[in-house]
Amino acid sequence: MSDPFKEAESNRKVLTADESAEGRLDAWLTAQFGAEFSRSRIQALIKAEAVLLNGVPVTDAKKKVRPGDVYEIALPEPEDPTPQGEDIPLDVLYEDEDVIVIDKPAGLVVHPAAGNWTGTLVNALIYHCGDSLSGIGGVRRPGIVHRLDKDTTGVMVVAKNDAAHRHLSLQFADHGRTTSLERAYQAIVWGRPRQLIGTVDAPLGRSNTDRTRRAVKRPDSQDADEAITHYEVLERFHEGQDALALASLVDCHLETGRTHQIRVHMAHIGHPLLGDAVYGGGFKTKANLLPEAARQVLNGFTRQALHAYMLQFEHPRTGEVMHFEAPLPDDMEELAAALRA
């Protein structure tokens, strides 16, 4: 098959739709590019006005392609796949020659990936630690042995050399079953779980409708991973005589560590996290039941109310049990205080 593109400049390609062209612009362009660009990358180029139709920027990825359309695509300059150090402040709780423990803020992506090639925790760690940072996790994930979602705050440990990385990775893979590893979170959820102390044992896998989301699966599903969360209700907000509450502060201990585990599990039992647009979007109208002051605070709260407040692990060199805690961040404290009022 001949190249469908006419080369214009090194960073620009021109493509003319033939008589068989049809469908959405993003899907059609993705098919023309083949493996060179993903559909999400094509959509990003369209959003950035890098795709022109007859000389005019196209910003609607759903636009129908018609035979004879002439598209000009401005391609970005190649990016260095190796993350570079960036002077991003870190809240360091502990550091020695083997590990660094930080309190991650909201909004900080852990490692570079599509859409977030810079400004990540890895970029900050490379700047802070220099050449000592472990590379066993891969070029884009040096030292990373576990992750927190972009908008989840709290305690993380990073390995600074390969030996520490191997030791810590084994602890996290074991989920603390035979080691001292322990992870605990605090979350603010809608309502009040019927059982104040309980366990959610529900396997997780990829959602059938969105590969970026996780969903509860049948135990016999091919992609089902064991997922167990132990929780305890610490505080109830606006609780009535019927023992119902508008919201609750919940302590969650992980027995396993799956992607989005707490967010999916709490939504599964009917109590999604406040601010969680992915798994709790159907509860947005519950904000109307809150007092005005609390409603205003919640409207300004732009992330899921989840904080990894405690992490415990065995030091990879000494074997000492290391225990770290970080208080609720200011935004969650403000939200809890508004709910108490």
Side-chain angles (χ1 to χ4, degrees):
M1 180 177 177
S2 61
D3 185 356
F5 296 101
K6 295 179 181 178
E7 295 290 347
E9 298 174 2
S10 60
N11 65 337
R12 190 166 62 93
K13 287 190 176 183
V14 177
L15 175 62
T16 301
D18 61 21
E19 63 278 0
S20 65
E22 62 179 1
R24 288 172 47 136
L25 175 60
D26 56 350
W28 183 77
L29 283 178
T30 302
Q32 305 309 310
F33 273 96
E36 188 175 356
F37 285 103
S38 66
R39 187 165 178 173
S40 61
R41 185 63 175 130
I42 292 293
Q43 290 171 342
L45 289 173
I46 294 172
K47 185 176 181 181
E49 299 187 356
V51 177
L52 306 181
L53 170 59
N54 302 324
V56 180
V58 182
T59 57
D60 183 7
K62 299 178 182 179
K63 180 178 176 58
K64 299 299 182 182
V65 176
R66 302 181 185 282
D69 285 348
V70 179
Y71 292 97
E72 181 179 328
I73 303 96
L75 302 177
E77 294 294 329
E79 295 180 339
D80 185 352
T82 304
Q84 304 299 310
E86 297 178 43
D87 188 6
I88 300 171
L90 292 174
D91 185 357
V92 179
L93 304 179
Y94 174 84
E95 183 177 10
D96 60 23
E97 61 182 325
D98 297 301
V99 300
I100 178 170
V101 180
I102 67 158
D103 183 3
K104 189 187 87 66
L108 183 63
V109 176
V110 170
H111 58 74
N116 293 285
W117 295 116
T118 61
T120 71
L121 174 60
V122 163
N123 297 111
L125 289 168
I126 291 173
Y127 181 91
H128 181 89
C129 301
D131 295 335
S132 70
L133 200 63
S134 166
I136 198 171
V139 173
R140 291 178 180 166
R141 304 184 185 186
I144 302 300
V145 294
H146 70 122
R147 295 185 300 168
L148 295 177
D149 294 339
K150 173 183 176 181
D151 289 324
T152 297
T153 56
V155 186
M156 285 188 64
V157 60
V158 176
K160 293 178 66 176
N161 54 62
D162 289 350
H165 194 287
R166 285 191 292 270
H167 196 289
L168 289 171
S169 294
L170 288 174
Q171 292 186 56
F172 278 91
D174 181 63
H175 301 301
R177 290 186 170 94
T178 62
T179 68
S180 300
L181 181 75
E182 189 173 350
R183 287 172 288 174
Y185 295 68
Q186 288 187 350
I188 301 177
V189 305
W190 286 112
R192 196 208 84 167
R194 181 175 301 176
Q195 294 181 316
L196 298 183
I197 299 177
T199 296
V200 184
D201 185 349
L204 299 180
R206 289 189 182 275
S207 167
N208 294 329
T209 58
D210 185 344
R211 290 181 59 81
T212 65
R213 295 179 54 157
R214 296 300 184 271
V216 170
K217 296 285 188 172
R218 291 171 53 92
D220 57 355
S221 296
Q222 187 174 8
D223 65 336
D225 292 320
E226 181 186 31
I228 302 173
T229 304
H230 305 285
Y231 72 86
E232 179 179 1
V233 176
L234 302 177
E235 186 175 359
R236 285 100 75 185
F237 305 112
H238 295 278
E239 187 175 34
Q241 293 182 350
D242 55 3
L244 298 178
L246 288 181
S248 302
L249 176 65
V250 179
D251 183 293
C252 296
H253 277 64
L254 295 183
E255 186 172 324
T256 58
R258 308 303 179 191
T259 300
H260 299 176
Q261 178 172 317
I262 293 174
R263 298 167 62 188
V264 178
H265 272 176
M266 297 311 295
H268 177 63
I269 64 173
H271 304 285
L273 277 59
L274 271 68
D276 193 340
V278 176
Y279 301 106
F283 281 66
K284 289 182 65 175
T285 56
K286 277 190 170 290
N288 297 327
L289 302 176
L290 297 173
E292 175 63 24
R295 188 162 63 248
Q296 289 183 3
V297 172
L298 180 59
N299 287 338
F301 194 85
T302 58
R303 67 182 185 92
Q304 64 269 4
L306 184 62
H307 174 65
Y309 78 89
M310 188 273 283
L311 175 64
Q312 179 177 286
F313 59 90
E314 293 179 6
H315 192 280
R317 184 185 299 269
T318 67
E320 177 186 357
V321 176
M322 312 287 287
H323 184 98
F324 299 94
E325 295 192 15
L328 282 178
D330 291 343
D331 61 347
M332 280 187 66
E333 279 285 10
E334 182 184 14
L335 180 59
L339 291 169
R340 291 186 188 105

